[in-house]
Amino acid sequence: RNGHGTHVAGIVAARGNNDRGVSGLCWKAKVMPVRVLDADGRGNTSDAAEGIVYAVNHGVHVVNASYGSTKSSSIERDAIRFAADHNTLIVAAAGNDHANADKKPMYPAAYSDDNVISVAACDDRDRLASFSNYGKKSVDLAAPGDGIASTWDDGGYRGASGTSMAAPLVSAAASMLRKEGVESRKKLRKLLLDNADDKDNLKGKVASGGRLNMRRALAAAD
């Protein structure tokens, strides 16, 4: 919906050290906005699939999917496999229904393809956010997603909460790793999951049992 994409983009790449607003995680990332939903956040999985293919065909290697549907789609799955064939990682929001995604999956986060990372949201105490979906098998890791300040489409800034805010932190971390020379989408995924911080509050909630730690992932890449 309107403002949502701007907020997500700011989390990834809002410029830092300029005495303005907020700072994104990967300041030098190039962001390609691809709109697949209408102003009210509605759309079709075929539109999402087309958006993934468009991004991949234009050289994108990290796709942030801060959207979801309870219905799987062969067209969307084909797009994700197309992305895998082109060495592209899909970072997807796990969903905001406080549901067990192992039983009530949200797509594209729930696709089992090895180029997908499903991201839950945690709060500032590394607890699963009250709204966040979770899943010991189907959700990979958590990232901060509760009360995140970022850019808005009116030229200002505002806070928002959701797994939509957690996913772009992981996308930004993947972008940082790519800038450090990690090009394989399989290695990107492994570095991000293997170097998550273990958190007791997240064990049994996400497969890695942890929260994103970009510093550790970068150190491991070195």
Side-chain angles (χ1 to χ4, degrees), residues 18-218:
N18 61 359
D19 294 323
R20 292 185 60 188
V22 299
S23 171
L25 193 58
C26 185
W27 305 348
K28 295 183 179 180
K30 294 181 179 180
V31 176
M32 176 186 290
V34 180
R35 185 161 191 165
V36 298
L37 304 176
D38 66 17
D40 296 316
R42 295 174 299 195
N44 301 312
T45 53
S46 59
D47 296 325
E50 186 177 354
I52 291 171
V53 171
Y54 178 90
V56 172
N57 281 335
H58 286 79
V60 172
H61 288 288
V62 179
V63 172
N64 185 83
S66 285
Y67 58 85
S69 170
T70 56
K71 295 181 179 180
S72 62
S73 160
S74 60
I75 296 174
E76 188 174 44
R77 189 72 178 271
D78 287 345
I80 287 172
R81 289 172 175 171
F82 176 79
D85 290 342
H86 289 76
N87 197 36
T88 298
L89 185 69
I90 310 292
V91 181
N96 303 323
D97 299 317
H98 192 60
N100 185 341
D102 293 347
K103 298 179 180 179
K104 297 181 178 180
M106 183 72 72
Y107 301 95
Y111 292 122
S112 59
D113 300 73
D114 65 2
N115 64 322
V116 176
I117 297 179
S118 175
V119 185
C122 61
D123 63 17
D124 59 357
R125 296 185 181 181
D126 289 324
R127 302 171 301 191
L128 187 76
S130 61
F131 52 80
S132 180
N133 285 2
Y134 56 94
K136 186 176 181 179
K137 296 180 180 179
S138 62
V139 180
D140 295 304
L141 82 167
D146 190 21
I148 306 300
S150 187
T151 47
W152 203 252
D153 65 349
D154 59 4
Y157 309 89
R158 69 173 67 177
S161 299
T163 55
S164 283
M165 284 66 248
L169 287 171
V170 178
S171 296
S175 297
M176 287 287 285
L177 287 167
R178 281 192 58 85
K179 287 186 176 298
E180 292 300 312
V182 181
E183 295 185 355
S184 164
R185 47 99 176 165
K186 289 184 178 181
K187 189 172 183 180
L188 286 174
R189 189 179 191 278
K190 181 174 174 59
L191 283 167
L192 292 168
L193 300 190
D194 288 356
N195 293 287
D197 279 343
D198 290 336
K199 297 294 177 181
D200 290 341
N201 292 325
L202 296 172
K203 292 191 183 303
K205 300 294 185 181
V206 298
S208 68
R211 184 254 301 133
L212 172 71
N213 186 323
M214 187 178 75
R215 183 189 295 272
R216 282 182 58 182
L218 286 169

